[in-house]
Amino acid sequence: DTAVSQTPKYLVTQMGNDKSIKCEQNLGHDTMYWYKQDSKKFLKIMFSYNNKELIINETVPNRFSPKSPDKAHLNLHINSLELGDSAVYFCASSPRGLPDTQYFGPGTRLTVL
Amino acid sequence: AQRVTQPEKLLSVFKGAPVELKCNYSYSGSPELFWYVQYSRQRLQLLLRHISRESIKGFTADHNKGVTSFHLKKPFAQEEDSAMYYCALGGGSNYKLTFGKGTLLTVNP
């Protein structure tokens, strides 16, 4: 009955590879987000989707491509991984897309070697 | 532009002592303000939001519009309060929250 789930929990990969992280929410929320938390614990928004439409794209390299097949899912695909991509990636959702309580997933720890 | 400043990266207190985590913001409209908490190896979760004016786990936050602050307070800290605390701001029809850089609170026995 987990509200916001992400897979995988851990991801270790080599530089140059392509990888995907999946996110699903069963709360019936309209809006979903991807955040990056760096090694200093700084949390920064990357993308936001509202009803499958891209709303926010915060100067993220175009190697990162979000995809929302339906409003319950927001996946993150990363091409040509770099060392600096190592971080914890959090997915979140909120009910109506307006500034509202956000519900976070458990995070995916990505390590690029 | 929205900006959230948490001036203290680290804050250490003893159990039973009062604690205040500072948060200042800049925003031209009427802000929605939140405190989120991340316990060790757990997901972020909402602690409280200013509009509800609730007290959660003994924490309260006062919104001072004059000095644009939203400090988080607890009169008697407990060891289980040790965590990373993030202040966040959202406003208007914007779909995003802007987070501060976080304050790591350690409550010593």
Side-chain angles (χ1 to χ4, degrees), chain A residues 2 4 33 35 37 41-43 45 48 50 55-56 58 90 97-102 104-106, chain B residues 32 34 36 38 41-46 49 84 86 90-97 99-101:
Chain A
T2 304
V4 183
Y33 309 81
Y35 288 88
Q37 187 181 47
K41 303 289 188 183
F42 182 40
L43 193 65
I45 191 166
S48 172
N50 185 57
I55 298 298
I56 296 169
E58 288 283 300
F90 285 99
L98 292 173
D100 207 338
T101 301
Q102 296 197 4
F104 283 81
Chain B
E32 294 274 351
F34 306 81
Y36 281 82
Q38 187 177 26
R41 299 194 178 276
Q42 293 188 28
R43 67 184 73 195
L44 257 85
Q45 56 188 288
L46 179 71
R49 55 186 299 187
M84 190 71 157
Y86 292 94
S93 60
N94 197 320
Y95 285 82
K96 72 176 183 181
L97 286 184
F99 284 83
K101 293 195 175 183

Side-chain angles (χ1 to χ4, degrees), chain A residues 32-113:
Chain A
M32 296 184 73
Y33 309 81
W34 276 110
Y35 288 88
K36 180 179 180 181
Q37 187 181 47
D38 62 22
S39 57
K40 296 182 180 178
K41 303 289 188 183
F42 182 40
L43 193 65
K44 189 169 166 52
I45 191 166
M46 301 172 68
F47 300 103
S48 172
Y49 270 72
N50 185 57
N51 280 320
K52 303 195 298 175
E53 289 190 31
L54 181 66
I55 298 298
I56 296 169
N57 183 342
E58 288 283 300
T59 53
V60 176
N62 57 15
R63 298 183 294 104
F64 290 78
S65 51
K67 284 196 170 52
S68 183
D70 55 61
K71 77 172 193 177
H73 295 85
L74 181 61
N75 304 323
L76 184 65
H77 188 76
I78 316 170
N79 289 328
S80 304
L81 277 154
E82 300 177 358
L83 293 176
D85 298 332
S86 295
V88 181
Y89 292 84
F90 285 99
C91 177
S93 71
S94 64
R96 290 172 295 275
L98 292 173
D100 207 338
T101 301
Q102 296 197 4
Y103 295 81
F104 283 81
T108 296
R109 184 175 293 275
L110 171 65
T111 303
V112 182
L113 304 174

